[in-house]
Amino acid sequence: MKILNRMTAIAILACAMVGFAQAEPVQPAAEIEPLSLAFEDDEDEEEASSKKKKKSSAKDKKSKKRNVGKAAQQKRKELRDKGVRNVRAKSPSGWPDKVPVPEETTLKQGEKQGNFFVYETNNYIFFTPVEIDANACETVGRLFECAYAANKAVAEVLPVPRTEEDRSGKKYRVELWPTKQQYVQNGGSASSAGIFLYSKRMMPGDNSPITEKTLASDKVMVPFESLGLSADGHVVKNDIDTHVLVHELTHQNFVYNGLPIWCNEGWAEYVGYVPYVGEDLDFTRCYAVILHKAKEQSANGALDFPFTLEEFFTMTQEEMYSYMGQGKDTYTLSVMIVAYYVHLDGKKGVAAIKKYMEALIAGESHEEATKHLIDHHKNAGKLQKDFIKAWKSKKVPVSFKDVK
C-alpha cells in the first residue's frame, strides 16, 4: 500500500511537471510583447504618413506660389507689351491699394441639383453642368471672392448703392457654361466673355420689399473659356483677361438699374480695369490702364462727342448704346468720369461724387443729384472745360458740344 502510494505520488508529480512545462511558454508577458510591437509599428506608419502629407502640402504651396508668381510676371509683361506704363495718380484717403484674395478661399462642392453640379464660396453659389476639378475650383473661387473683396474695399470710401440688406443674406448666383454655344443658348451674348442678368430693381428710396424671386433672377453667366478652363473642367490657362468678368461681377455686387447708366457702367469699367496681378486686384495700376485705353480711343476719334458732359450725366441707356454704334466710346467716357472725380479733381472731386451717389441712394432724381457733380465747378460749362483740360494734360484729347 505504501509502495502504491509512493508510485501514485511520483506519477502525480510527473504530471504536474509536464503541465508546468506546457504552460510556461504562454506567460502574460509573451502575449503582450507582440501587441506592443504592433502598436509601435502603427505609430511609425501614422508619423510617416503625417510627414508625407506635410511634405506634400509644403510642395503644393511652393508650386502654387511659383504659379502665382509666374502669373504675376505674365500679367506685368502683358501690360508692358500693350504699352501700359505704371503711371500713378492721387487716390482718396482709404482707397484700395492691392486687394488680395481672402485667405482660405476655395470652391466647395455641394449637393447636386438636377443636372447641375453645385459649388459654393462665402459669397457665391455656382451652378455648372460639368464637374470641375480641384485646381479649377480653387482658381475660380479665389478670383470671384477677390472681386467681391475689391468692391467691398471701394465701399469703404464711397457709398455702394446695392447693400447687403438687399439680398437678405442670399449668395450671388453664378452659372458656368462649358462651351460658348451653351452660354449663348442660355442667354449670354456671342460677343461677350460674361454677362450680368438682373431683374427690374427698385428705385432708390423705394421701401417695397425685395422678394426672393427677385434675387433668384439676378445672376452672372460665364463660359469656361473666360476662366481659363477647358470644356471638361480643367485649368488650361493661368493668366486670363479678367476685365469683362470683374466688370460683370461689379454690376452684380453693387449696382442696380435705378443708377444712371454712365455711373452704372463707369464703376463697372473702373473695377474691371483693375489688373489681376498674381492673386491681387492691383488698384495701383488701374489708373494707368484707363489712361492707356483713353489714349487709344482718343487717337481713333472715339472721344469726340456731339453732346455736352451735363447731358451725358442724365442720358438713357438706349442713347448711350446708340452712340457706341456710331463709333463714340461712351463706355470709356464713363470710366474717364469716374477716374476724373476719384484721381484728377482733388478732394473736392471725391467729395462731389460721394454726395452724388448718396443723393441717388436717398431717392433724388438724376437731374437733382447731378448738381452735386457740378457745384464746386460753379456751373456745367466750367466743369466741362476743367474736365477737358485735365485729360488734355494727360495727352488725351476729348471734346463735347459747346455749352450754351
Side-chain angles (χ1 to χ4, degrees):
M1 193 70 176
K2 285 182 180 179
I3 294 171
L4 181 62
N5 289 342
R6 188 179 296 163
M7 291 179 66
T8 303
I10 291 170
I12 291 169
L13 178 62
C15 288
M17 289 179 71
V18 170
F20 180 78
Q22 288 176 340
E24 187 175 7
V26 195
Q27 292 295 321
E31 291 179 359
I32 293 170
E33 189 174 356
L35 293 174
S36 177
L37 289 172
F39 182 71
E40 287 173 5
D41 287 343
D42 288 344
E43 281 187 334
D44 289 342
E45 287 179 11
E46 286 178 13
E47 187 177 349
S49 177
S50 177
K51 285 180 180 178
K52 189 176 181 180
K53 284 180 181 178
K54 286 180 181 178
K55 190 174 180 180
S56 176
S57 177
K59 188 177 179 181
D60 289 344
K61 285 181 180 178
K62 284 183 180 179
S63 177
K64 180 183 174 183
K65 190 174 181 181
R66 282 197 298 270
N67 289 338
V68 169
K70 188 176 180 181
Q73 286 180 339
Q74 289 175 338
K75 178 58 69 175
R76 286 191 284 267
K77 183 178 184 300
E78 178 191 320
L79 293 172
R80 286 196 301 272
D81 290 346
K82 286 182 178 179
V84 179
R85 296 174 57 202
N86 193 20
V87 182
R88 294 185 178 238
K90 291 181 179 179
S91 298
S93 175
W95 198 245
D97 184 9
K98 293 182 180 180
V99 178
V101 175
E103 291 185 12
E104 306 302 325
T105 295
T106 188
L107 249 69
K108 294 181 180 178
Q109 191 164 357
E111 292 185 11
K112 193 175 180 183
Q113 295 185 21
N115 295 324
F116 288 92
F117 292 92
V118 180
Y119 301 86
E120 293 188 54
T121 58
N122 287 346
N123 297 291
Y124 295 92
I125 181 166
F126 299 79
F127 297 85
T128 176
V130 171
E131 190 170 15
I132 58 179
D133 67 20
N135 190 21
C137 283
E138 187 168 23
T139 299
V140 173
R142 293 177 77 79
L143 173 56
F144 274 71
E145 285 294 334
C146 193
Y148 181 88
N151 278 296
K152 199 165 185 178
V154 170
E156 295 295 322
V157 183
L158 294 173
V160 170
R162 190 172 189 177
T163 65
E164 289 299 321
E165 287 74 21
D166 285 345
R167 300 197 61 79
S168 302
K170 300 294 180 182
K171 293 185 178 183
Y172 294 112
R173 182 185 176 93
V174 180
E175 291 179 6
L176 306 177
W177 294 101
T179 67
K180 197 64 176 282
Q181 182 181 6
Q182 288 172 298
Y183 167 72
V184 173
Q185 287 174 344
N186 286 278
S189 168
S191 60
S192 71
I195 191 170
F196 171 53
L197 299 175
Y198 59 93
S199 59
K200 185 175 181 180
R201 306 296 300 172
M202 306 299 177
M203 288 294 290
D206 188 336
N207 294 321
S208 301
I210 296 175
T211 66
E212 290 195 22
K213 184 179 179 181
T214 305
L215 294 173
S217 60
D218 280 5
K219 62 183 177 183
V220 161
M221 296 202 313
V222 189
F224 275 15
E225 64 183 43
S226 296
L227 299 166
L229 306 184
S230 62
D232 57 353
H234 302 291
V235 176
V236 291
K237 187 178 180 183
N238 287 314
D239 182 36
I240 59 174
D241 184 355
T242 59
H243 173 224
V244 173
L245 176 60
V246 177
H247 173 114
E248 299 303 331
L249 290 178
T250 299
H251 280 320
Q252 188 181 37
N253 283 171
F254 76 82
V255 189
Y256 50 72
N257 62 352
L259 204 64
I261 187 62
W262 81 265
C263 195
N264 190 318
E265 297 299 347
W267 277 111
E269 282 288 271
Y270 184 94
V271 183
Y273 276 128
V274 178
Y276 191 54
V277 182
E279 287 200 328
D280 294 328
L281 277 168
D282 189 354
F283 278 77
T284 67
R285 295 174 181 268
C286 180
Y287 170 76
V289 177
I290 293 169
L291 178 61
H292 178 74
K293 178 68 174 180
K295 285 179 178 179
E296 280 186 339
Q297 296 305 86
S298 177
N300 295 330
L303 300 184
D304 300 325
F305 301 107
F307 48 77
T308 68
L309 184 58
E310 184 181 24
E311 288 171 342
F312 186 63
F313 285 142
T314 55
M315 190 172 285
T316 65
Q317 181 172 319
E318 290 74 18
E319 289 176 301
M320 179 173 166
Y321 289 176
S322 71
Y323 283 113
M324 289 290 292
Q326 298 171 34
K328 302 303 177 184
D329 194 349
T330 47
Y331 266 68
T332 295
L333 175 58
S334 295
V335 75
M336 286 171 67
I337 294 171
V338 171
Y340 173 73
Y341 281 103
V342 171
H343 298 294
L344 304 180
D345 198 25
K347 290 182 179 179
K348 289 185 177 179
V350 176
I353 198 165
K354 185 175 182 179
K355 288 178 181 177
Y356 171 74
M357 295 178 77
E358 286 174 342
L360 289 169
I361 293 169
E364 290 187 21
S365 67
H366 295 180
E367 290 76 10
E368 286 296 315
T370 298
K371 292 177 182 178
H372 296 292
L373 297 176
I374 297 171
D375 281 352
H376 76 286
H377 289 272
K378 296 182 180 179
N379 55 59
K382 180 70 164 49
L383 167 61
Q384 184 167 297
K385 287 179 182 178
D386 290 344
F387 182 87
I388 292 170
K389 183 179 178 180
W391 283 106
K392 187 177 180 181
S393 71
K394 307 301 178 185
K395 299 181 180 179
V396 181
V398 55
S399 65
F400 300 94
K401 183 178 75 175
D402 289 338
V403 177
K404 295 181 180 179

